[in-house]
Amino acid sequence: MKQGMIDFHCDVLAKLLTGEAAGFKGPVSAGLDVTWERLQQADALLQTFAVYIPEQLDYSVQNLLRAVDHFYQQVLTCPEIMFVRSTEELRACAQAGRTGAVLAIEGAESLQGDLALLRVLYQLGVRSLGLTWNHANWAADGIMEPRGGGLTGRGKELVRACNELGILIDVSHLSERSFWDTIELTGRPVIASHSNVRSVCSHPRNLTDDQIRAIIMQGGLIGLTYVPWFVKSEGSARASDLFSHIDYICKLGGADNIMFGSDFDGFGQHIAGLANPGDIPAFIDELEKRYGKELTHRWVQGNAFRFLAENLPEH
């Protein structure tokens, strides 16, 4: 098995969709944090690619499917990358020493309330879905929506449909009320693919203590992210500033619930020491020096691998 990280969130597909980056590998990958070459350099075990439609584009089904097509045409054509849609494929990928790719949706806007489209996306390989980005849509309110509403009726149907299909629910970006509506409704563990600890860094996108406890109680996962303003409230953030978030989650009993969700390609200003996957081996070394190999292995890949093995469809 590869020794590198499982990363639960990046926005490569958004940059390919807008044309900000022309390709995922070779010279045309300029402008991307996550590239095929850097994933190989990092010995990455698995990378989740989110379909996020940037605000300058319309939330059409066409743009949604174009992003999925970029995943198929640019990511899956790389010789060392293997599509992971099931526990069977997850184990085969690990045994073959290849880098797995998971397809996710960030924001359900483009589904336009149509659960038939959700079922089609499942057939195309989508295995994780975040109901919102920062704002409100037909399914739920996001964390930056001033009214702070919860799930809509159709949003509740969406959660139930994801549970039936075997699509993971991602609670990053949800308003607090939407978060608790989801926790109450879903019968399966959730993930927060790219969120940190609000008690350490007071940003609305970070999780409260009660939210962290709820995810732990469910057996879900929290993907610590490298967005500087989610890591540290003031001053320049460094990779080691993530240690405070790790320590806090462990204090709440969540050592088995930590993973990483970089959000690479989703922000412009990087924290020192974590600019792209090529920096991950040095970051893993820092984690091992502070926490030892066993805990580091759990957070870098063990917890996420176990979670996927338990919660992806079997075949």
Side-chain angles (χ1 to χ4, degrees):
M1 184 183 292
K2 286 176 173 283
Q3 297 305 305
M5 187 171 284
I6 292 178
D7 179 356
F8 245 85
H9 191 88
C10 78
D11 282 314
V12 165
L13 300 180
K15 285 186 174 179
L16 294 174
L17 185 62
T18 61
E20 188 175 345
F24 181 62
K25 53 184 181 288
V28 295
S29 65
L32 287 176
D33 300 332
V34 178
T35 66
W36 177 75
E37 290 83 1
R38 285 173 175 162
L39 289 177
Q40 301 311 298
Q41 179 184 353
D43 198 32
L45 179 57
L46 185 144
Q47 178 68 58
T48 294
F49 293 83
V51 174
Y52 164 65
I53 311 299
E55 290 182 288
Q56 67 264 36
L57 301 179
D58 60 73
Y59 296 128
S60 64
V61 174
Q62 288 88 345
N63 279 330
L64 175 67
L65 294 178
R66 285 189 187 105
V68 173
D69 185 60
H70 280 301
F71 177 77
Y72 272 82
Q73 297 300 319
Q74 302 211 43
V75 176
L76 293 184
T77 55
C78 296
E80 293 300 319
I81 289 184
M82 181 175 174
F83 204 176
V84 170
R85 294 158 289 188
S86 65
T87 58
E88 184 176 56
E89 289 176 340
L90 177 70
R91 294 189 179 99
C93 180
Q95 289 168 3
R98 297 173 68 183
T99 297
V102 172
L103 184 59
I105 301 289
E106 181 179 27
E109 290 81 5
S110 296
L111 273 65
Q112 300 173 10
D114 190 343
L115 299 184
L117 182 55
L118 179 74
R119 292 187 287 272
V120 170
L121 289 168
Y122 176 83
Q123 293 300 321
L124 290 173
V126 169
R127 292 297 181 267
S128 174
L129 182 139
L131 279 69
T132 66
W133 188 59
N134 283 335
H135 309 303
N137 62 21
W138 61 270
D141 275 12
I143 189 61
M144 305 308 288
E145 184 64 36
R147 67 184 177 183
L151 300 185
T152 66
R154 289 295 282 164
K156 292 177 181 179
E157 290 179 24
L158 178 61
V159 170
R160 294 188 190 100
C162 286
N163 282 345
E164 291 170 5
L165 287 167
I167 295 176
L168 304 172
I169 298 292
D170 184 353
V171 298
S172 285
H173 286 289
L174 285 181
S175 70
E176 290 192 40
R177 183 174 169 189
S178 293
F179 173 94
W180 291 112
D181 284 351
T182 301
I183 291 293
E184 181 179 353
L185 180 62
T186 184
R188 304 182 65 207
V190 301
I191 60 170
S193 66
H194 55 305
S195 296
N196 290 344
V197 178
R198 199 179 301 180
S199 289
V200 175
C201 177
S202 183
H203 190 286
R205 271 277 286 104
N206 287 339
L207 299 167
T208 67
D209 289 12
D210 285 344
Q211 288 176 315
I212 293 168
R213 290 189 185 98
I215 293 172
I216 292 170
M217 180 111 18
Q218 266 206 334
L221 290 180
I222 298 162
L224 296 178
T225 188
Y226 314 152
V227 180
W229 43 96
F230 299 169
V231 175
K232 190 177 181 181
S233 299
E234 297 179 357
S236 299
R238 299 173 298 174
S240 58
D241 289 317
L242 281 161
F243 296 166
S244 297
H245 296 268
I246 291 171
D247 293 343
Y248 200 93
I249 293 174
C250 288
K251 185 179 74 173
L252 294 178
D256 290 331
N257 308 88
I258 293 171
M259 63 175 181
F260 290 94
S262 67
D263 205 13
F264 280 143
D265 290 297
F267 55 100
Q269 178 186 347
H270 298 92
I271 64 178
L274 280 173
N276 60 64
D279 291 332
I280 294 300
F283 179 52
I284 292 174
D285 286 343
E286 285 192 60
L287 288 168
E288 288 181 347
K289 287 174 186 174
R290 182 176 176 94
Y291 299 104
K293 287 185 178 295
E294 193 274 332
L295 277 175
T296 297
H297 175 77
R298 272 200 260 169
W299 301 332
V300 167
Q301 62 171 249
N303 289 344
F305 191 93
R306 170 185 46 79
F307 180 88
L308 289 171
E310 292 172 353
N311 289 285
L312 283 176
E314 187 174 350
H315 302 290

Coordinates of all heavy atoms in Angstrom, one line a residue, residues 93 98 112 129 152 166 176 178 235 247 291 305:
C93 N -7.3 -1.1 -5.5 CA -6.4 0.1 -5.7 C -5.2 0.0 -4.8 O -4.0 0.2 -5.2 CB -7.2 1.4 -5.5 SG -6.2 2.9 -5.8
R98 N -1.7 1.8 -6.6 CA -2.1 2.9 -7.5 C -2.7 4.0 -6.6 O -2.9 3.8 -5.4 CB -3.0 2.4 -8.6 CG -2.4 1.4 -9.5 CD -3.3 0.8 -10.5 NE -3.8 1.8 -11.5 CZ -4.7 1.6 -12.4 NH1 -5.3 0.4 -12.5 NH2 -5.1 2.5 -13.3
Q112 N -30.9 20.7 -9.3 CA -32.2 21.4 -9.5 C -33.3 20.6 -8.9 O -34.4 20.6 -9.5 CB -32.3 21.7 -11.0 CG -31.2 22.6 -11.5 CD -31.3 22.8 -13.0 OE1 -32.3 22.4 -13.7 NE2 -30.3 23.3 -13.6
L129 N -21.5 13.7 -1.5 CA -22.3 14.9 -1.8 C -22.4 15.9 -0.7 O -22.8 15.5 0.4 CB -23.7 14.5 -2.3 CG -24.5 15.7 -2.8 CD1 -25.3 15.4 -4.1 CD2 -25.5 16.1 -1.7
T152 N -34.6 21.9 3.5 CA -35.9 22.1 2.9 C -36.5 20.7 2.8 O -35.9 19.6 3.1 CB -35.9 22.7 1.5 OG1 -35.2 21.7 0.6 CG2 -35.1 24.0 1.5
G166 N -26.1 5.0 -1.3 CA -24.7 4.7 -0.8 C -23.8 5.9 -1.1 O -22.6 5.7 -1.2
E176 N -25.6 25.8 10.5 CA -25.7 25.0 11.7 C -27.0 24.3 11.8 O -27.1 23.1 12.2 CB -25.4 25.8 13.0 CG -23.9 26.3 13.1 CD -23.6 26.9 14.5 OE1 -24.1 26.3 15.5 OE2 -22.9 27.9 14.5
S178 N -28.9 23.4 9.3 CA -28.9 22.3 8.3 C -28.0 21.2 8.7 O -28.4 20.0 8.5 CB -28.3 22.9 7.0 OG -29.1 23.8 6.4
G235 N -2.4 36.6 11.7 CA -1.0 36.3 11.3 C -0.9 35.2 10.3 O -1.9 34.6 9.9
D247 N -5.0 18.5 18.2 CA -5.0 18.3 19.6 C -6.4 18.5 20.2 O -6.8 17.8 21.1 CB -4.0 19.3 20.3 CG -2.5 19.0 20.0 OD1 -2.2 17.9 19.5 OD2 -1.7 19.9 20.2
Y291 N 3.7 13.3 16.9 CA 2.7 12.4 17.4 C 3.1 10.9 17.3 O 2.4 10.0 17.8 CB 1.4 12.6 16.6 CG 0.8 14.0 16.8 CD1 0.9 14.9 15.8 CD2 0.1 14.3 17.9 CE1 0.4 16.2 15.9 CE2 -0.4 15.6 18.1 CZ -0.3 16.5 17.1 OH -0.9 17.8 17.2
F305 N -9.3 5.3 5.2 CA -9.4 4.0 4.5 C -10.4 3.1 5.2 O -11.3 2.5 4.5 CB -8.1 3.4 4.5 CG -8.0 2.2 3.6 CD1 -7.5 2.3 2.2 CD2 -8.3 0.9 4.0 CE1 -7.5 1.2 1.4 CE2 -8.3 -0.2 3.1 CZ -7.9 0.0 1.8

